[in-house]
Amino acid sequence: MKYRNVTPRLLTAATALALALSFTALAALCIDQRIPMADTLVYRAEGAAVANGTDLYGFTVTEWQLPATYPPFAAILFVPTTWLPVPALKVVFVVGNVALLALLVRLSCRFAGLPARPPLVIAAVAAGLWLEPVFQTLLFGQINLALVCLVLWDLSRDEEAIGKGFALGVAAGVKLTPAVFILYLLITGRVRAGLTAIASFTGTVLLGALVLPHASVDFWTRRIFETDRVGKAWIVDNQSLQGLFARALHTPEPGPVWALAAALTAVAGLWIARRAASGARGVLVTALTALLVSPISWSHHWVWCVPLLAVLIAEGRHRTAAAVAAVFLARTLWLVPHQGALDLQLPWWQQAWASPYPLLGLALLALAVRHERASVEPVLVPGPRVTAAKESSKRDVSTHPGAA
């Protein structure tokens, strides 16, 4: 009896060692390459602008001349980043993001209906550090993992939970893109949660206006419309539809072609999300839709790959999960020529390598549309065919917890 827990303990210790080795390798790579963590420096500059009363949207920092692009509310939250010297701040961001990845893995397991056993979580974190979106989030010192955790935690709560939607509204107040999930709540009939999210988002705007009135007017009347302020849409870093079409058409302004594709994708994605209602597939389809239609979705924005993989594994689609993981591990976008304007000169056979994430997202949405039209239960990715007789006999059987 006393040896009953030996194997689980050994497994936990082995996975902990794997995580330690994975993190050490990542840290060594960062130190060797002298990774600047540019976004962390931008956040620190935003916090300093608030603390010092200087122009929030008038500065640029780092060798890439990066400006502030988030709403004033986010800049207020960044004030504590000024309390630490830059080296210590970078360490905090790296360690914090690893902890957030662990939290995201746990949330993804709950979201998908998987058991969140310690060895599983630890092993997933050790491997997840090398998924390209997660890896880039750590290298840039980004806040993507924090925002996805807020959204996923809120959306996976019970429908009757007090304050459901509040965290989602806060996430949208920090970075506008999570606001698409407010629309998702409304079109799926969860009006109370949607209105709560709108109220909390409005609160972030009002707080920003109270603390930074001039910056708020500047952002909401001017800066929010300056999409080129975020960066060049045609570089391989941008894994949205606009980036895909810009590179494929060899033009920095894909114009009506991209606009039409984005509109059709938005309609199809929201239609599937509405049919999927409150299930895991509805949330993932909404996330994929937002990433595709956003003018700019940097590769590190695709950290939604973590809950996507969890749902695929939970549904028993292990081959599909392996293929999706391979796409996010391969880093093909960095293998094509992308110095200067070479992104716009790629031959046809390199286009798929340069745009792996939007192509994957489109494929998943196309399969979801096909299966939504062909079956009663919405399906994100293809699975074994079910005959009409079997389907009829299973109508009273509960679906997977993640799709409830």
Side-chain angles (χ1 to χ4, degrees):
M1 295 293 291
K2 65 180 180 180
Y3 298 108
R4 179 179 296 176
N5 294 324
V6 170
T7 299
R9 288 175 180 172
L10 287 176
L11 185 58
T12 300
T15 53
L17 177 60
L19 175 58
L21 292 174
S22 181
F23 180 76
T24 301
L26 176 66
L29 179 62
C30 292
I31 295 172
D32 179 67
Q33 298 297 316
R34 297 182 180 179
I35 302 300
M37 296 181 67
D39 288 333
T40 297
L41 299 181
V42 175
Y43 302 151
R44 191 173 192 273
E46 291 185 38
V50 175
N52 299 329
T54 56
D55 186 1
L56 178 58
Y57 300 106
F59 69 80
T60 58
V61 292
T62 77
E63 61 184 282
W64 299 280
Q65 299 297 301
L66 300 175
T69 58
Y70 292 175
F73 173 71
I76 297 171
L77 298 181
F78 293 146
V79 169
T81 62
T82 64
W83 302 343
L84 294 173
V86 171
L89 180 63
K90 290 182 178 181
V91 171
V92 168
F93 261 77
V94 171
V95 174
N97 270 323
V98 174
L100 285 169
L101 176 59
L103 175 59
L104 180 57
V105 169
R106 288 187 61 86
L107 289 172
S108 298
C109 288
R110 185 181 73 174
F111 178 67
L114 290 172
R117 299 188 181 94
L120 174 63
V121 173
I122 296 171
V125 172
L129 289 174
W130 301 96
L131 292 167
E132 193 272 347
V134 176
F135 184 80
Q136 291 295 108
T137 292
L138 269 71
L139 294 193
F140 283 111
Q142 257 283 346
I143 59 171
N144 302 305
L145 290 169
L147 295 178
V148 173
C149 284
L150 276 176
V151 173
L152 198 60
W153 172 78
D154 207 351
L155 293 179
S156 61
R157 297 169 70 204
D158 186 79
E159 295 301 323
E160 301 302 320
I162 297 175
K164 183 179 176 67
F166 180 83
L168 171 57
V170 171
V174 174
K175 193 172 184 177
L176 299 177
T177 47
V180 69
F181 290 99
I182 300 178
L183 179 59
Y184 164 71
L185 289 175
L186 296 175
I187 66 174
T188 54
R190 286 168 288 173
V191 178
R192 188 180 70 176
L195 293 178
T196 300
I198 292 174
S200 62
F201 171 70
T202 303
T204 67
V205 175
L206 293 177
L207 179 60
L210 178 65
V211 178
L212 302 168
H214 297 295
S216 293
V217 172
D218 188 17
F219 179 82
W220 295 109
T221 63
R222 178 185 173 193
R223 305 298 183 179
I224 191 174
F225 304 108
E226 296 177 349
T227 55
D228 58 338
R229 182 180 179 85
V230 180
K232 298 180 177 66
W234 45 266
I235 58 179
V236 294
D237 310 51
N238 183 20
Q239 291 291 298
S240 72
L241 286 178
Q242 181 171 216
L244 183 154
F245 279 104
R247 291 185 292 271
L249 298 175
H250 308 292
T251 174
E253 299 290 342
V257 177
W258 162 69
L260 177 61
L264 293 175
T265 301
V267 171
L270 292 175
W271 176 76
I272 301 168
R274 184 176 182 275
R275 290 289 297 269
S278 60
R281 300 183 188 102
V283 174
L284 290 177
V285 165
T286 303
L288 288 174
T289 303
L291 290 165
L292 288 169
V293 304
S294 176
I296 290 182
S297 292
W298 301 131
S299 69
H300 50 76
H301 292 172
W302 286 78
V303 288
W304 279 96
C305 63
V306 176
L308 170 61
L309 288 169
V311 170
L312 291 173
I313 293 171
E315 293 182 345
R317 308 177 194 280
H318 299 111
R319 291 183 179 179
T320 304
V324 170
V327 171
F328 286 108
L329 287 168
R331 293 167 168 75
T332 60
L333 65 158
W334 304 116
L335 300 179
V336 300
H338 56 273
Q339 292 77 22
L342 293 179
D343 314 61
L344 292 175
Q345 303 170 24
L346 298 174
W348 66 268
W349 59 272
Q350 289 183 342
Q351 293 298 331
W353 295 78
S355 304
Y357 304 164
L359 291 175
L360 174 65
L362 287 173
L364 291 174
L365 288 186
L367 291 169
V369 170
R370 189 185 73 178
H371 282 267
E372 182 60 43
R373 295 177 61 183
S375 63
V376 175
E377 290 296 329
V379 180
L380 181 64
V381 290
R385 293 184 178 179
V386 180
T387 64
K390 288 183 179 179
E391 185 66 31
S392 176
S393 66
K394 292 183 179 181
R395 284 179 182 173
D396 294 330
V397 179
S398 299
T399 60
H400 189 278

